[in-house]
Amino acid sequence: MERAYYVTTPIYYISGEPHVGHAYTTIVADVLARTARTFRPTFFLTGTDEHGQKVANAAAAAGKTPQQWCDELVPRWKALFAEYEIEYDDFIRTTEARHVEKVQRVFELLREHGDVYLGKYEGWYCVDDETFWLESKLVDGRCPTCGREVQWISEDDWFFRLSAYRDRLLAHFERHPHWVRPRSVYNEMMSILVEGLDDLSISRTNLEWGIPIAGGGVIYVWLDALLNYITAIGWSEDEARFHALWPAQTQLVGKEIARFHTLIWPAILWALGEAAPELVFAHGWITVDGQKMSKSLGNAVDPFALARRFGPGSMRYFLLREAPFGGDFSYSEEKIAQRHNSELANDLGNLLQRTLSMLQRYRDGMVPSTPASSEFAERFAPLPGKVRAQIFELRFREALESVWELVTALNRAVDERKPWVLHKEGRAGELDATLYDLCEGLRWLAVLLHPVMPERMSEMWRQLGSPGSLHEDWTLALVWGKLAPKTRTSPGAPLFPKIELEAQP
Ligand SMILES: [Zn+2]
């Protein structure tokens, strides 16, 4: 099987309703997957993390069994992803048999290979992050990640010999300086490695809501969760399929869980004889007034309401355009409206509308014949390759800035060549060439922006009357002059109607 582009999101811990942060990571994965699908086999996995103390507590508080609780919430996640035009290839739930049986197999293998041993765990546990902490790591006696109270745990648990993998991890980090990005996260993980690693407790004796271990107890929820990336793609079941996908090219995580994905995850994989992922990219947080958005802080924004208000396309565009991927950024409705109105409604939407109405007026709505030469052909020939490279380097903001060079150039062509003057003065050849360039440029934009705004760009494609598919390989689709003369356009409603924000008090 041909090696595929395999991209994953974290599986989402299902202790409450989804917020816009969950949509963010999944949109990024979707943009990568949609771009990859134009030229190679692709697999995009997301899902839900359903075991653990916190889920059990949330379910109990709601008077439900944990399974009922999860069954009722999973459709909310799926609805959120549908709302944001996300097309995953698989959605794994850690309560599914296909996952459970393989996690148990992993545990047996680790036991057979001597990678786990039975010991006593005594220490602190943060239920919110499902994380064990050494006393020395606590901050004022609280969880160093979320600042919540931790609880004392004393039980006989299974331990994974993580410390035995420290040297191999160090060597891997040194040999692959870009496998963890951004650099700040790489450096942070390196300093943990240099300090040293303790063995990891991978079972919970006094918890029932988890994957059972023969002989008692359940698997620690983090080990259970990490394994989804391989259980979903046929590990130990379908070797051909598994090796066509693994190791993953891109694993997206939030920076608060980078430690699990870059220190524990590769060690577990090596213990199973598998390779580490090629890239773990830890992104920053969407903040509201500088605070991480979360349900428990009460500042989480309803992502369904945002999509309805601004449109999923505009939301996707905003999330990728607002800040370099990797860093934190502050969200506000004003900022979303501003980008929607100036960049999408003015720069792009108006360009389409003006072009199609001039075409209607001067050429009966039909694309004129291909000009002998175009200043755009040479200038923008490298653009698709550049944008694609920027997308796969996860530099989405720069990719959109690159695309906007074409938007700007087309708008400038309208202002400078003044088609209405060309028409008035009867300069038919020049008018044809200008209108052709505008239509061809818009066709390019629909292709280049389709991964970011799938539905809106399909509509733009429809208005342009373009035959063929938006999913074609860019190297074939984006050849200047490919747009066929006499293509009949069909103008429609504005792509991005302006949004009025109520005046702030
Ligand atoms: Zn915590």
Side-chain angles (χ1 to χ4, degrees), residues 126 128-129 133 143 145-148:
C126 171
D128 206 72
D129 294 307
W133 291 110
C143 169
T145 302
C146 70
R148 288 192 181 77

PDB file of all heavy atoms in Angstrom, residues 126 128-129 133 143 145-148, ligand 1:
ATOM      1  N   CYS A 126      -3.970  14.589  39.951  1.00  0.00           N
ATOM      2  CA  CYS A 126      -4.921  15.626  39.559  1.00  0.00           C
ATOM      3  C   CYS A 126      -6.006  14.959  38.715  1.00  0.00           C
ATOM      4  O   CYS A 126      -5.729  14.469  37.620  1.00  0.00           O
ATOM      5  CB  CYS A 126      -4.253  16.739  38.760  1.00  0.00           C
ATOM      6  SG  CYS A 126      -5.481  17.877  38.067  1.00  0.00           S
ATOM      7  N   ASP A 128      -8.543  16.354  37.306  1.00  0.00           N
ATOM      8  CA  ASP A 128      -8.909  17.148  36.144  1.00  0.00           C
ATOM      9  C   ASP A 128      -8.026  16.848  34.944  1.00  0.00           C
ATOM     10  O   ASP A 128      -8.497  16.784  33.810  1.00  0.00           O
ATOM     11  CB  ASP A 128      -8.834  18.640  36.471  1.00  0.00           C
ATOM     12  CG  ASP A 128      -9.762  19.423  35.575  1.00  0.00           C
ATOM     13  OD1 ASP A 128     -10.984  19.320  35.784  1.00  0.00           O
ATOM     14  OD2 ASP A 128      -9.278  20.093  34.650  1.00  0.00           O
ATOM     15  N   ASP A 129      -6.739  16.684  35.169  1.00  0.00           N
ATOM     16  CA  ASP A 129      -5.817  16.364  34.075  1.00  0.00           C
ATOM     17  C   ASP A 129      -5.514  14.876  34.007  1.00  0.00           C
ATOM     18  O   ASP A 129      -4.760  14.449  33.143  1.00  0.00           O
ATOM     19  CB  ASP A 129      -4.490  17.123  34.266  1.00  0.00           C
ATOM     20  CG  ASP A 129      -4.678  18.618  34.132  1.00  0.00           C
ATOM     21  OD1 ASP A 129      -5.236  19.040  33.117  1.00  0.00           O
ATOM     22  OD2 ASP A 129      -4.288  19.351  35.056  1.00  0.00           O
ATOM     23  N   TRP A 133       1.452  13.321  39.943  1.00  0.00           N
ATOM     24  CA  TRP A 133       2.481  14.343  40.154  1.00  0.00           C
ATOM     25  C   TRP A 133       3.379  13.981  41.334  1.00  0.00           C
ATOM     26  O   TRP A 133       2.896  13.531  42.377  1.00  0.00           O
ATOM     27  CB  TRP A 133       1.860  15.718  40.439  1.00  0.00           C
ATOM     28  CG  TRP A 133       1.163  16.321  39.266  1.00  0.00           C
ATOM     29  CD1 TRP A 133      -0.176  16.489  39.115  1.00  0.00           C
ATOM     30  CD2 TRP A 133       1.775  16.846  38.081  1.00  0.00           C
ATOM     31  NE1 TRP A 133      -0.445  17.081  37.900  1.00  0.00           N
ATOM     32  CE2 TRP A 133       0.734  17.305  37.253  1.00  0.00           C
ATOM     33  CE3 TRP A 133       3.098  16.967  37.640  1.00  0.00           C
ATOM     34  CZ2 TRP A 133       0.972  17.885  36.009  1.00  0.00           C
ATOM     35  CZ3 TRP A 133       3.331  17.547  36.391  1.00  0.00           C
ATOM     36  CH2 TRP A 133       2.281  17.990  35.588  1.00  0.00           C
ATOM     37  N   CYS A 143      -1.927  21.307  41.512  1.00  0.00           N
ATOM     38  CA  CYS A 143      -1.502  20.793  40.211  1.00  0.00           C
ATOM     39  C   CYS A 143      -0.764  21.886  39.424  1.00  0.00           C
ATOM     40  O   CYS A 143      -1.278  22.991  39.267  1.00  0.00           O
ATOM     41  CB  CYS A 143      -2.729  20.332  39.420  1.00  0.00           C
ATOM     42  SG  CYS A 143      -2.395  19.978  37.683  1.00  0.00           S
ATOM     43  N   THR A 145      -0.269  22.064  36.285  1.00  0.00           N
ATOM     44  CA  THR A 145      -0.877  22.346  34.983  1.00  0.00           C
ATOM     45  C   THR A 145      -2.126  23.213  35.117  1.00  0.00           C
ATOM     46  O   THR A 145      -2.271  24.217  34.439  1.00  0.00           O
ATOM     47  CB  THR A 145      -1.268  21.043  34.254  1.00  0.00           C
ATOM     48  OG1 THR A 145      -0.097  20.238  34.104  1.00  0.00           O
ATOM     49  CG2 THR A 145      -1.842  21.339  32.881  1.00  0.00           C
ATOM     50  N   CYS A 146      -3.040  22.804  36.015  1.00  0.00           N
ATOM     51  CA  CYS A 146      -4.323  23.504  36.047  1.00  0.00           C
ATOM     52  C   CYS A 146      -4.563  24.253  37.352  1.00  0.00           C
ATOM     53  O   CYS A 146      -5.552  24.968  37.473  1.00  0.00           O
ATOM     54  CB  CYS A 146      -5.467  22.522  35.783  1.00  0.00           C
ATOM     55  SG  CYS A 146      -5.750  21.365  37.119  1.00  0.00           S
ATOM     56  N   GLY A 147      -3.681  24.060  38.328  1.00  0.00           N
ATOM     57  CA  GLY A 147      -3.812  24.810  39.577  1.00  0.00           C
ATOM     58  C   GLY A 147      -4.889  24.284  40.513  1.00  0.00           C
ATOM     59  O   GLY A 147      -5.203  24.910  41.527  1.00  0.00           O
ATOM     60  N   ARG A 148      -5.459  23.114  40.179  1.00  0.00           N
ATOM     61  CA  ARG A 148      -6.506  22.582  41.046  1.00  0.00           C
ATOM     62  C   ARG A 148      -5.903  21.758  42.177  1.00  0.00           C
ATOM     63  O   ARG A 148      -4.728  21.402  42.149  1.00  0.00           O
ATOM     64  CB  ARG A 148      -7.454  21.706  40.242  1.00  0.00           C
ATOM     65  CG  ARG A 148      -8.351  22.503  39.320  1.00  0.00           C
ATOM     66  CD  ARG A 148      -9.463  21.637  38.774  1.00  0.00           C
ATOM     67  NE  ARG A 148     -10.304  22.429  37.878  1.00  0.00           N
ATOM     68  CZ  ARG A 148      -9.947  22.736  36.635  1.00  0.00           C
ATOM     69  NH1 ARG A 148      -8.809  22.303  36.141  1.00  0.00           N
ATOM     70  NH2 ARG A 148     -10.747  23.473  35.885  1.00  0.00           N
TER      71      ARG A 148
HETATM   72 ZN    ZN B   1      -4.505  19.583  36.967  1.00  0.00          ZN
END
